[in-house]
Amino acid sequence: MEFKAFKPLVKNLIQYYYFDLVNPTGGYLHIVLDDGNLDDQSIYFCQNECSKNGDTFGYFLATLLREFTEDELQKLYDDDWWGMDD
């Protein structure tokens, strides 16, 4: 699967994870999505937690987040990627 194709949709997918899949605190991706720990190690940790706990969409989302540079992720995070300020 070509995950780069999903990059333009990442904010929508994060909002879907929060609201439609009822993960208001970021679910197993909490330390990345809510706390802003955007380094590869944090994303891999969260992805592993998703895998261990059957969170397939979270696993997919973590895979997508790994397609971004840390600077790109920081900009998205700073721009309210979870949609709380919309």
Side-chain angles (χ1 to χ4, degrees):
M1 177 179 282
E2 183 65 40
F3 281 91
K4 289 181 182 181
F6 292 100
K7 284 178 78 171
L9 304 173
V10 71
K11 284 180 85 169
N12 292 4
L13 295 170
I14 290 170
Q15 290 172 18
Y16 176 78
Y17 187 68
Y18 268 81
F19 302 116
D20 296 328
L21 297 181
V22 193
N23 290 298
T25 60
Y28 294 106
L29 297 172
H30 175 85
I31 66 170
V32 174
L33 298 179
D34 270 19
D35 296 343
N37 296 299
L38 306 172
D39 57 280
D40 285 338
Q41 184 177 355
S42 295
I43 296 171
Y44 279 116
F45 172 82
C46 290
Q47 189 171 37
N48 187 49
E49 290 300 304
C50 290
S51 180
K52 289 191 307 189
N53 291 284
D55 182 357
T56 55
F57 192 83
Y59 188 92
F60 163 80
L61 190 52
T63 303
L64 176 56
L65 292 174
R66 290 189 359 244
E67 293 291 329
F68 290 85
T69 67
E70 198 168 331
D71 288 339
E72 289 174 322
L73 290 173
Q74 187 65 55
K75 181 169 177 11
L76 287 164
Y77 180 80
D78 292 343
D79 288 343
D80 183 39
W81 64 9
W82 52 88
M84 298 294 199
D85 293 337
D86 288 347

